């Protein structure tokens, strides 16, 4: 039969933003959300859609592991960047990490799509996805297709919309 196109996705963002919870929801057999623990280093997850075969590098967002991210830039075809919409204090740290990422020599010249999840939209003090995109100055990203979705990874809300956008950009 026809082989599905292989797509490497790098999932980045600060610790506790919800990366593993999001990836877990996209897999066919999910772990109960309460059993998810902070990622050590990174995990590799694979799942398929109708036309694509995804390999996701679910990186740890803890500061001591963030230096691992760059080793996977070259082989990735798309980035998912997750933000905790309720963590206003660390929004500036998220912006710093995003800016470092976008300015990296292995990313700067690539036209790879970047999908943002403004996650934890269920939190009472969460900022809107429009506000998140302003706080991260996403309008300055001119050389890559990007998209932001509000999400609630615990309930799985907003994730498919994001994945559908990403699929359209990589296929
Ligand atoms: P690291 O692996 O340390 O980088 O963190 P991570 O980004 O993988 O975060 P993880 O998925 O482990 O989630 C961190 C915490 O946030 C967990 O307690 C999740 O249950 C919780 N969480 C994830 N998504 C949501 C969400 O949409 N809403 C709420 N309220 N909590 C969430
Ligand atoms: Mg994790």
């Amino acid at each position: 039969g026809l082989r599905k196109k292989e797509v490497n996705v790098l999932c980045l963002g600060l610790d506790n933003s919800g990366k593993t919870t999001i990836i877990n929801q996209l897999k066919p057999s999910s772990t109960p959300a309460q059993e998810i623990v902070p990622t050590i280093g990174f995990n590799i997850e694979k799942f398929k859609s109708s036309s694509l075969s995804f390999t996701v590098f679910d990186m740890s967002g803890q500061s001591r592991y963030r230096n691992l991210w760059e080793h996977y830039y070259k082989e990735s075809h798309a980035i998912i960047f997750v933000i905790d919409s309720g963590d206003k204090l660390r929004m500036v740290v998220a912006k710093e990490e995003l800016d470092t990422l976008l300015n990296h020599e292995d990313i700067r010249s690539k036209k790879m799509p970047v999908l943002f999840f403004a996650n934890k939209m269920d939190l009472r003090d969460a900022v809107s996805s429009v506000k998140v995109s302003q706080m991260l100055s996403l309008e300055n990203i001119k050389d890559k297709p990007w998209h932001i979705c509000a999400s609630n990874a615990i309930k799985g809300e907003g994730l498919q919309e994001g994945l559908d956008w990403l699929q359209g950009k990589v296929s």
Side-chain angles (χ1 to χ4, degrees):
L2 222 57
R3 275 187 64 94
K4 293 175 191 280
K5 182 176 176 181
E6 306 261 351
V7 180
N8 295 337
V9 179
L10 198 52
C11 189
L12 304 174
L14 299 187
D15 50 296
N16 200 50
S17 55
K19 298 178 294 297
T20 301
T21 309
I22 288 174
I23 300 310
N24 181 58
Q25 288 279 13
L26 298 173
K27 291 193 300 183
S29 55
S30 314
T31 312
Q34 63 271 20
E35 289 174 23
I36 292 176
V37 294
T39 307
I40 305 296
F42 65 94
N43 290 312
I44 297 178
E45 301 286 357
K46 289 176 184 276
F47 58 88
K48 290 180 164 65
S49 71
S50 53
S51 59
L52 302 173
S53 175
F54 289 100
T55 300
V56 182
F57 291 76
D58 172 21
M59 306 301 293
S60 168
Q62 290 179 58
S63 53
R64 80 187 86 151
Y65 294 119
R66 282 179 214 153
N67 59 343
L68 295 177
W69 295 3
E70 65 177 346
H71 298 291
Y72 300 91
Y73 292 168
K74 272 207 174 96
E75 58 195 289
S76 62
H77 306 116
I79 291 173
I80 295 177
F81 195 95
V82 183
I83 301 107
D84 177 347
S85 310
D87 191 357
K88 291 182 207 107
L89 279 178
R90 290 205 302 164
M91 207 62 80
V92 40
V93 183
K95 182 181 186 326
E96 274 172 19
E97 293 295 351
L98 175 65
D99 290 347
T100 304
L101 164 73
L102 294 174
N103 286 317
H104 192 280
E105 59 173 346
D106 294 342
I107 294 285
R108 213 169 35 208
S109 52
K110 281 169 101 176
K111 278 229 180 308
M112 50 159 54
V114 188
L115 171 63
F116 295 91
F117 281 118
N119 194 38
K120 306 199 186 184
M121 64 175 183
D122 55 294
L123 296 181
R124 197 148 43 93
D125 57 346
V127 296
S128 70
S129 59
V130 171
K131 184 77 184 159
V132 169
S133 72
Q134 285 168 354
M135 292 172 100
L136 299 183
S137 304
L138 299 188
E139 77 279 1
N140 290 341
I141 306 176
K142 311 272 194 211
D143 53 349
K144 292 174 179 53
W146 63 270
H147 185 70
I148 186 164
C149 286
S151 64
N152 172 350
I154 302 234
K155 287 198 167 166
E157 292 166 358
L159 303 181
Q160 195 57 49
E161 181 205 325
L163 201 68
D164 288 347
W165 176 84
L166 199 66
Q167 288 199 68
K169 293 295 167 190
V170 291
S171 44

